[in-house]
Amino acid sequence: MSTVTQEVPAPPGRAPQISKAPHVRAGRRAQPARTLHGAAGVAAVVLIGVYCLAPFYWMLVSSLRRSGDIFDTTLLPSVFSVESYVKVFSGSSDFAHALVNSLIVAATTTALALVFAIFAAYAISRLNFRFKNVILAVIIATSMFPGISVVVPLLRLFSDIGWINTYQAMIVPSLSFAIPLAVYILTTFMKQLPFDLEEAAMMDGATKWQAFRKILLPLAAPGIFTTAILTFIQSWNEFIIALSMVNDPAVQTATVAISKFTGASEFQAPYGEQMAAGVIVTIPLVIMILIFQRRIVEGLTSGATK
Amino acid sequence: MSTDLTTGSGADRAATGAPGRDPEGPDARRAARREGWSRRLPLLPALIFTILVTQIPFAMTIWYSLRSWNLLRPDGETFVWFRNFVDIFMDSTFRGAALNSIIITLGCVFAALILGTLFAILLDREFLGRGVVRTLLITPFLIMPAATSMLWSVSLLNPSFGLLNWVIGLFGAGPIDFTSQMPLFSVIMALVWQWTPFMMLLILAGLQAQPKDVLEAAALDGAGWGKTFLFVTLPQLRRYIELSVLLGAIYVVNTFDQIYLMTAGGPGTASANLPFYIYQRAFLGFDVGQAAAMGVVTVIATIIIATFALRLIFRSFDTKD
């Protein structure tokens, strides 16, 4: 970071700082090519935005139309209506209950997967032993298993031990796909963390456990957080296990509930309710990501940039 | 890998006070072995659990695949050796489903990777509200696939009021009944839309992880943007590209929700991929034996691909240190 020569004109608010610490922010700001300028850049971002968000916007708009207007193609509903949302939460749908079920399954899966994965990732990234790569390979390979190939035997096993229509019938199989993902992400992350601090702590007489708990764990917090979010989303969105293991609406998760909405009559597809339910399951996640966005971006980048 | 004595070995030596890799006698060797197991200990819970929950059912799948077990036939289970495997390879629907799996995975991963890289390059700049924009763009990846399937098949691709049909109508093209006329393409579109943000996020992380001084050095040496990207950025992005392709492929191969909800594998079996066809055989055809055999074939194929993928991962892990 020694290129004061390339300094772009600093924004007014930043100018006084330069005399104090000339190099601190220079690296980030010092690249003219990396600042977005002109209409072309704005247009590019708008285009990306339309690509990513237009379908979502259409879902939101569709969910706010009256059931009679559902086939409209206007950019705003001609009459705003929460009819679809009312329907989602009333009557046979009982979507609120499905949401609670999803939350229970996803939160439990995430918490358990993290506990398993943190220790595993620590061992793989910090300790040396034989067969380390073989073990890592086995763990990662299990996550590549097609979920469908274990559903049939698990279904039989779970019906033998009376687990059909229980939360654990969804949590246990989800865990076996969540753990490998979490181990992989955390291992990548922990490998990139500098080792010096732990080493220094252990020189000063800290045990391995103390070095792990007091040094590595706080350093790895952003990575753990990112992992938690990805794991949570994965199990929140899980469909095929929930579809196969549960047929009781009382334990059914939101994904299955959405796919099973039925219209008022056999010939009327419940588009409005499906769109409303889609909005409901998405908005909490978007809010969560917006609140924690700095930590997520940090989590994904801090390992490599230190 | 046991020779990979980089940072870890220094710590072990610091902690134990002995170079554990060079045992002087049987005692030292035993101590080293005990030390080795104490290092493996943190791994064991995760390892045992994943093996219990995925490998045992898989062993059961192999067992089922060697038996004739059709819930619709009253004659019960019999051991038939490899007849199920012969049957499924004679089954043109199975071969079609396998081909569809390959097309969907390759198509989706590459399209999403290219779009994601482009988006990441565009977003790797300073502008007002970048964080919020970037976060919002991740939305497609967060929406429940069950919900996006509905979103695509209903509001975007519907021939009479779908958004996409309205857009192509502006250019004078007639309405297309996407999910029945081009079911595979429809599914891939939905998947690409869902996976682009994921690729973008990872590539963006890679772009921002670049050491700035290297970029500055390239600029000082007179390299233009294109050259810098090709010779400096791209090689450094390799790990991230590999990671996105690998993770993307793993999940896209297992795509089930979109096919179940958008096309139901149809029309006929035109868009069935392996997971969907297995589900169909097991839960609608009640042929557990054949479904299990297909599961075994899928897993073997996955293992072959995964071996290449894992090799890539480890190469990038090793060169990193």
Side-chain angles (χ1 to χ4, degrees):
Chain A
M1 308 280 159
S2 57
T3 52
V4 186
T5 46
Q6 287 207 344
E7 188 84 48
V8 289
R14 201 158 279 284
Q17 279 187 352
I18 288 178
S19 57
K20 254 191 277 169
H23 306 314
V24 178
R25 301 286 302 174
R28 255 300 156 82
R29 302 270 164 188
Q31 283 138 33
R34 287 161 72 87
T35 47
L36 198 68
H37 42 200
V42 175
V45 171
V46 169
L47 250 170
I48 302 176
V50 169
Y51 171 82
C52 289
L53 298 179
F56 182 63
Y57 174 75
W58 207 242
M59 176 158 88
L60 185 67
V61 171
S62 305
S63 74
L64 290 169
R65 296 188 206 278
R66 292 175 302 184
S67 57
D69 307 338
I70 193 74
F71 294 157
D72 282 4
T73 50
T74 50
L75 282 178
L76 283 174
S78 51
V79 179
F80 280 90
S81 152
V82 291
E83 187 188 324
S84 299
Y85 291 86
V86 173
K87 273 194 205 155
V88 162
F89 284 113
S90 63
S92 59
S93 307
D94 199 10
F95 197 61
H97 204 92
L99 284 175
V100 173
N101 289 336
S102 272
L103 197 63
I104 292 173
V105 171
T108 316
T109 305
T110 306
L112 289 175
L114 276 184
V115 172
F116 283 122
I118 286 171
F119 287 106
Y122 170 72
I124 295 171
S125 64
R126 285 296 190 253
L127 309 175
N128 272 302
F129 47 85
R130 249 186 308 172
F131 305 125
K132 186 164 83 170
N133 271 13
V134 176
I135 291 173
L136 182 58
V138 168
I139 290 184
I140 296 176
T142 52
S143 78
M144 300 174 183
F145 262 60
I148 186 75
S149 71
V150 298
V151 160
V152 176
L154 281 180
L155 187 64
R156 190 170 197 202
L157 178 71
F158 288 166
S159 48
D160 285 349
I161 59 176
W163 274 21
I164 297 300
N165 289 327
T166 60
Y167 291 127
Q168 63 266 32
M170 293 182 273
I171 292 169
V172 170
S174 294
L175 262 182
S176 66
F177 295 101
I179 289 175
L181 175 74
V183 169
Y184 180 70
I185 298 174
L186 274 176
T187 304
T188 315
F189 189 83
M190 285 188 187
K191 277 208 165 207
Q192 292 172 339
L193 288 178
F195 196 72
D196 314 352
L197 282 173
E198 285 158 81
E199 208 165 28
M202 286 193 282
M203 291 287 194
D204 290 347
T207 62
K208 238 177 218 184
W209 167 246
Q210 282 171 327
F212 166 72
R213 200 167 50 94
K214 298 232 168 93
I215 313 277
L216 183 67
L217 223 46
L219 274 180
I224 293 172
F225 191 76
T226 308
T227 313
I229 286 179
L230 292 178
T231 314
F232 184 86
I233 292 170
Q234 187 193 27
S235 39
W236 174 263
N237 291 348
E238 201 287 320
F239 181 66
I240 188 164
I241 294 168
L243 179 72
S244 319
M245 299 299 168
V246 165
N247 51 33
D248 178 3
V251 202
Q252 192 170 275
T253 59
T255 39
V256 181
I258 287 183
S259 73
K260 288 194 171 160
F261 277 137
T262 45
S265 79
E266 206 182 321
F267 303 104
Q268 192 192 345
Y271 297 139
E273 285 102 303
Q274 285 169 345
M275 295 302 111
V279 172
I280 293 165
V281 295
T282 307
I283 279 181
L285 283 174
V286 174
I287 290 174
M288 187 173 85
I289 300 293
L290 277 176
I291 293 173
F292 296 117
Q293 56 139 319
R294 186 164 300 165
R295 299 207 50 192
I296 293 166
V297 175
E298 242 171 47
L300 280 165
T301 56
S302 66
T305 52
K306 267 187 258 168
Chain B
M1 188 62 194
S2 56
T3 53
D4 169 30
L5 289 176
T6 50
T7 49
S9 67
D12 295 340
R13 223 169 286 139
T16 59
R21 286 185 32 80
D22 193 10
E24 286 112 20
D27 275 358
R29 204 170 300 144
R30 203 174 308 129
R33 194 171 304 148
R34 204 179 315 125
E35 168 75 14
W37 275 109
S38 80
R39 290 178 200 168
R40 288 191 194 100
L41 203 62
L43 261 175
L44 288 180
L47 188 65
I48 292 171
F49 186 87
T50 37
I51 287 178
L52 271 184
V53 184
T54 55
Q55 304 306 298
I56 290 181
F58 182 59
M60 285 162 72
T61 304
I62 294 177
W63 173 245
Y64 291 163
S65 73
L66 301 175
R67 298 171 72 82
S68 162
W69 181 15
N70 191 322
L71 300 177
L72 294 178
R73 281 200 305 267
D75 50 338
E77 296 178 48
T78 48
F79 200 77
V80 295
W81 290 104
F82 295 102
R83 209 185 65 203
N84 283 326
F85 290 90
V86 175
D87 287 348
I88 60 169
F89 278 108
M90 305 287 278
D91 179 1
S92 60
T93 313
F94 171 78
R95 293 196 304 261
L99 185 65
N100 284 345
S101 277
I102 295 170
I103 294 172
I104 291 173
T105 308
L106 288 182
C108 168
V109 168
F110 281 107
L113 181 69
I114 290 166
L115 278 174
T117 308
L118 273 176
F119 290 2
I121 292 167
L122 287 172
L123 283 181
D124 184 31
R125 284 137 211 265
E126 303 276 344
F127 60 90
L128 194 67
R130 181 177 71 165
V132 176
V133 169
R134 188 169 49 192
T135 310
L136 284 175
L137 298 188
I138 307 167
T139 313
F141 187 60
L142 304 179
I143 304 185
M144 214 174 250
T148 50
S149 309
M150 296 296 176
L151 170 68
W152 275 86
S153 64
V154 177
S155 27
L156 297 184
L157 300 179
N158 184 292
S160 52
F161 63 91
L163 184 63
L164 206 63
N165 268 311
W166 178 74
V167 170
I168 61 173
L170 295 181
F171 298 99
I176 301 170
D177 189 358
F178 281 98
T179 47
S180 54
Q181 282 175 19
M182 32 178 104
L184 220 48
F185 183 69
S186 307
V187 169
I188 292 176
M189 266 200 295
L191 284 172
V192 167
W193 180 73
Q194 188 195 339
W195 284 94
T196 301
F198 173 80
M199 304 288 182
M200 178 186 80
L201 208 61
L202 281 179
I203 304 290
L204 192 57
L207 286 175
Q208 300 192 329
Q210 287 186 98
K212 304 291 178 271
D213 45 352
V214 175
L215 291 180
E216 284 159 14
L220 283 179
D221 288 348
W225 185 88
K227 267 191 178 157
T228 309
F229 182 78
L230 207 59
F231 297 113
V232 181
T233 305
L234 213 51
Q236 284 178 350
L237 276 185
R238 214 190 70 179
R239 287 183 63 241
Y240 293 84
I241 291 175
E242 285 170 0
L243 179 64
S244 11
V245 168
L246 174 73
L247 288 177
I250 291 169
Y251 291 104
V252 176
V253 164
N254 291 330
T255 297
F256 175 80
D257 314 12
Q258 277 86 353
I259 294 180
Y260 181 86
L261 292 165
M262 281 179 70
T263 65
T269 53
S271 62
N273 69 347
L274 283 175
F276 182 80
Y277 191 50
I278 293 172
Y279 178 87
Q280 244 185 351
R281 292 303 299 163
F283 289 85
L284 304 174
F286 299 107
D287 197 323
V288 178
Q290 279 197 15
M294 288 191 254
V296 172
V297 172
T298 310
V299 168
I300 291 171
T302 315
I303 287 173
I304 294 171
I305 301 165
T307 310
F308 289 106
L310 285 173
R311 199 165 296 162
L312 276 179
I313 289 188
F314 286 122
R315 204 192 302 149
S316 64
F317 265 172
D318 291 344
T319 53
K320 170 78 192 158
D321 293 330

